[in-house]
């Protein structure tokens, strides 16, 4: 019985003889690991891919339209969910846009706490891909280690927010509430425990010659293509594009962390370079978290939010805020008509641009390398479909 996911296209030549046969192969739309529901339509010439088309939209929820029917407090729950591995960072971008529209200053304690939690969320995001990418190539053991480390940090994130995945801890004007008593010490212990075991991935994954053979020189993405498609985050930096919003246009407390923040880059642009950048960023995010914990320990007790009116209305106008999310640049274009709901809130999600480049990367490669290339782009399909 023929596979319903494949078709053949035959060209008939002079005299009715078949000249060539191309196979059209559908990859998906099953749920591949952590990424979400994605379909790839590949045209094959033997074992080699000739064209590739990402087919998206299977998870579309219309969040941007729903923003228009929710007030400025309620939209946080919608923004929280499109990249389920970066929930805190998603909330953060929306509240930064609203605060910019209101001209609102956030208490210093909230600024440092937000920076700390954003970096812990970055580690959680990266650990998922550090574990799942080798899994997609056939190595199951790194996934067990990654979930062990994630649990250390999930525990402190759950304690502070009440949520394990969708934290809902940001508020317009600051945070939901102050950090629990003794939480800084427990968070410091969790960060130290994760850091102490991070060399596992250097030995177990990067030190594995099979992993290196499957990823070195595969799926090379050059800097010109990065710029043409708007690719960002660790994928772009692995192609030599030295840009990180936290350093180049600092927000939150990143301007005061310039001596700790290190922007990891690689010139190769292949699957291996993308994994190495992700691993380097995880190490640095742990260092940034420690620096934030030190600063929070020095700050005197104080408020973590601003008092807001019962009905919050943003003045008429438009603004744009962007953040260096774990997967790349997220942008938030907010338009207000002076009402309690946004007139328009457009999301620029990192995963959408990063996956577009598959149409350039996959042609000319072998089917066997397709999963290695796909997984190395570190995307979440909900972040594409919004």
């Amino acid at each position: 019985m023929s596979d319903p996911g494949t078709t053949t296209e035959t060209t008939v030549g002079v005299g009715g003889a078949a000249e060539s046969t191309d196979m059209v192969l559908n990859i998906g739309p099953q749920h591949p690991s952590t990424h979400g529901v994605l379909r790839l339509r590949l045209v094959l010439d033997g074992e080699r891919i000739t064209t590739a088309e990402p087919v998206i939209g299977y998870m579309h929820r219309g969040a941007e339209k729903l923003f228009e029917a929710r007030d400025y407090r309620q939209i946080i729950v919608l923004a929280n969910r499109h990249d389920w591995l970066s929930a805190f960072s998603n909330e953060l971008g929306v509240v930064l846009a609203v605060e910019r529209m209101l001209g609102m200053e956030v208490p210093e304690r909230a600024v440092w706490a937000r920076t700390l939690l954003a970096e812990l969320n970055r580690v959680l995001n990266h650990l998922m891909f550090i574990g799942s990418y080798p899994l997609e190539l056939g190595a199951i053991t790194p996934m067990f280690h990654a979930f062990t480390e994630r649990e250390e940090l999930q525990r402190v994130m759950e304690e502070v927010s009440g949520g394990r995945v969708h934290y809902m801890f940001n508020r317009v004007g600051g945070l939901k509430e102050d950090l629990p008593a003794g939480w800084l010490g427990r968070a410091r212990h969790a960060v130290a425990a994760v850091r102490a075991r991070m060399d596992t991935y250097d030995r177990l994954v990067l030190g594995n010659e099979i992993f290196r053979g499957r990823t070195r020189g595969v799926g090379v993405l050059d800097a010109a293509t990065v710029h043409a498609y708007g690719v960002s985050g660790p994928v772009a930096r692995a192609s030599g594009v030295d840009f990180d919003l936290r350093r180049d246009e600092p927000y939150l407390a990143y301007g005061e962390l310039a001596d700790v923040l290190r922007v990891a880059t690689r010139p190769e642009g292949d699957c291996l370079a993308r994994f190495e950048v992700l691993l380097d960023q995880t190490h640095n995010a742990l260092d940034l978290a420690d620096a934030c914990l030190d600063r929070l320990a020095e700050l005197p007790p104080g408020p973590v939010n601003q008092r807001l009116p019962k009905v919050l209305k943003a003045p008429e106008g438009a603004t744009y805020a962007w953040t260096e999310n774990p997967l790349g640049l997220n942008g938030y274009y907010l338009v207000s008509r002076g009402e309690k709901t946004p007139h328009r809130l457009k999301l620029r999600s990192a995963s959408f641009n990063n996956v577009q480049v598959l149409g350039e990367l996959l042609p000319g490669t072998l089917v066997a390398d397709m999963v290695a290339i796909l997984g190395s782009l570190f995307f979440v399909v909900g972040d594409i479909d919004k």
Side-chain angles (χ1 to χ4, degrees), residues 78-128:
L78 296 171
N80 183 287
R81 283 161 165 72
H82 57 89
D83 174 2
W84 47 81
L85 298 179
S86 310
F88 185 87
S89 301
N90 297 338
E91 301 170 12
L92 183 62
V94 169
V95 297
L96 288 176
V98 178
E99 287 162 5
R100 179 174 293 184
M101 182 74 85
L102 294 168
M104 180 181 289
E105 291 290 331
V106 175
E108 184 181 16
R109 188 171 180 80
V111 171
W112 281 97
R114 280 178 170 179
T115 310
L116 167 62
L117 294 170
E119 290 306 312
L120 292 179
N121 193 196
R122 193 181 309 276
V123 177
L124 285 168
N125 174 289
H126 290 357
L127 281 172
M128 178 62 83

Side-chain angles (χ1 to χ4, degrees), residues 109-174:
R109 188 171 180 80
V111 171
W112 281 97
R114 280 178 170 179
T115 310
L116 167 62
L117 294 170
E119 290 306 312
L120 292 179
N121 193 196
R122 193 181 309 276
V123 177
L124 285 168
N125 174 289
H126 290 357
L127 281 172
M128 178 62 83
F129 288 108
I130 288 170
S132 67
Y133 185 48
L135 178 65
E136 291 167 354
L137 299 180
I140 192 172
T141 307
M143 196 63 161
F144 297 136
H145 288 281
F147 266 83
T148 300
E149 316 313 336
R150 277 175 55 84
E151 189 58 37
E152 291 275 2
L153 298 177
Q154 286 282 32
R155 192 176 297 115
V156 294
M157 292 291 281
E158 183 178 9
E159 181 187 356
V160 76
S161 67
R164 284 183 60 83
V165 179
H166 303 299
Y167 305 109
M168 282 302 296
F169 197 56
N170 279 287
R171 295 292 187 272
V172 176

Side-chain angles (χ1 to χ4, degrees), residues 35 39 47 65 84 111 155 174 199 201 231 244 288 347:
H35 300 288
R39 174 186 167 204
E47 288 289 314
K65 195 65 181 173
W84 47 81
V111 171
R155 192 176 297 115
D199 69 314
Y201 306 103
V231 175
D244 190 309
L288 289 166
L347 296 180

Side-chain angles (χ1 to χ4, degrees), residues 25-28 30-35 38 40 42 44 47 49 52 129 131-139 211 214-215 218-219 270-272 274-275 355 358 361-363 365-379:
L25 178 66
N26 279 296
I27 306 295
Q30 75 272 13
H31 190 304
S33 187
T34 61
H35 300 288
L38 176 72
L40 291 178
L42 309 178
L44 309 180
E47 288 289 314
I49 299 169
F129 288 108
S132 67
Y133 185 48
L135 178 65
E136 291 167 354
L137 299 180
F211 178 83
R214 290 290 307 275
T215 55
V218 175
D270 57 9
C271 294
L272 179 60
R274 291 191 276 275
F275 186 84
V355 163
L358 281 170
L361 273 183
L362 291 179
T365 64
L366 296 172
V367 176
D369 291 329
M370 182 272 299
V371 173
I373 297 169
L374 180 67
S376 73
L377 295 181
F378 312 129
F379 61 91

Side-chain angles (χ1 to χ4, degrees), residues 26-356:
N26 279 296
I27 306 295
Q30 75 272 13
H31 190 304
S33 187
T34 61
H35 300 288
V37 185
L38 176 72
R39 174 186 167 204
L40 291 178
R41 185 180 183 274
L42 309 178
V43 178
L44 309 180
D45 180 8
E47 288 289 314
R48 202 164 293 278
I49 299 169
T50 57
T51 63
E53 177 191 3
V55 182
I56 64 174
Y58 292 94
M59 301 187 70
H60 183 55
R61 298 184 301 112
E64 293 175 327
K65 195 65 181 173
L66 291 172
F67 286 143
E68 300 171 16
R70 305 291 191 275
D71 68 32
Y72 287 105
R73 292 180 174 90
Q74 296 169 331
I75 60 175
I76 300 172
V77 74
L78 296 171
N80 183 287
R81 283 161 165 72
H82 57 89
D83 174 2
W84 47 81
L85 298 179
S86 310
F88 185 87
S89 301
N90 297 338
E91 301 170 12
L92 183 62
V94 169
V95 297
L96 288 176
V98 178
E99 287 162 5
R100 179 174 293 184
M101 182 74 85
L102 294 168
M104 180 181 289
E105 291 290 331
V106 175
E108 184 181 16
R109 188 171 180 80
V111 171
W112 281 97
R114 280 178 170 179
T115 310
L116 167 62
L117 294 170
E119 290 306 312
L120 292 179
N121 193 196
R122 193 181 309 276
V123 177
L124 285 168
N125 174 289
H126 290 357
L127 281 172
M128 178 62 83
F129 288 108
I130 288 170
S132 67
Y133 185 48
L135 178 65
E136 291 167 354
L137 299 180
I140 192 172
T141 307
M143 196 63 161
F144 297 136
H145 288 281
F147 266 83
T148 300
E149 316 313 336
R150 277 175 55 84
E151 189 58 37
E152 291 275 2
L153 298 177
Q154 286 282 32
R155 192 176 297 115
V156 294
M157 292 291 281
E158 183 178 9
E159 181 187 356
V160 76
S161 67
R164 284 183 60 83
V165 179
H166 303 299
Y167 305 109
M168 282 302 296
F169 197 56
N170 279 287
R171 295 292 187 272
V172 176
L175 297 172
K176 173 186 173 185
E177 57 196 10
D178 203 352
L179 306 174
W183 183 85
L184 291 178
R186 291 187 288 277
R188 191 182 297 278
H189 175 78
V191 169
V194 172
R195 180 187 286 106
R197 296 193 291 263
M198 283 300 294
D199 69 314
T200 300
Y201 306 103
D202 294 316
R203 294 182 285 104
L204 188 64
V205 183
L206 288 181
N208 186 294
E209 62 184 60
I210 298 174
F211 178 83
R212 298 183 75 87
R214 290 290 307 275
T215 55
R216 187 193 287 114
V218 175
V220 176
L221 177 63
D222 60 79
T225 307
V226 165
H227 291 302
Y229 280 83
V231 175
S232 60
V235 178
R237 289 190 282 274
S239 296
V241 178
D242 188 8
F243 180 79
D244 190 309
L245 203 61
R246 297 172 297 170
R247 179 197 65 193
D248 301 324
E249 289 194 27
Y251 59 99
L252 294 182
Y254 290 114
E256 300 182 48
L257 293 169
D259 57 334
V260 183
L261 176 63
R262 299 185 306 277
V263 179
T265 61
R266 293 288 189 283
E268 296 86 359
D270 57 9
C271 294
L272 179 60
R274 291 191 276 275
F275 186 84
E276 288 175 338
V277 167
L278 200 73
L279 196 54
D280 286 348
Q281 284 193 177
T282 308
H283 284 285
N284 187 233
L286 292 169
D287 294 340
L288 289 166
D290 266 341
C292 291
L293 286 165
D294 292 341
R295 180 64 174 143
L296 281 165
E298 296 169 356
L299 288 176
V304 293
N305 49 43
Q306 295 278 21
R307 290 185 63 87
L308 299 177
K310 188 173 182 179
V311 178
L312 180 63
K313 295 183 177 181
E316 190 169 348
T319 191
Y320 184 78
W322 55 341
T323 59
E324 185 70 46
N325 267 40
L327 298 181
L329 293 177
N330 271 28
Y332 305 84
Y333 180 61
L334 173 62
V335 180
S336 171
R337 293 285 179 86
E339 301 296 332
K340 65 178 182 179
T341 61
H343 175 67
R344 187 80 173 93
L345 180 51
K346 177 73 175 79
L347 296 180
R348 187 272 187 206
S349 60
S351 296
F352 183 85
N353 292 68
N354 290 2
V355 163
Q356 282 189 101

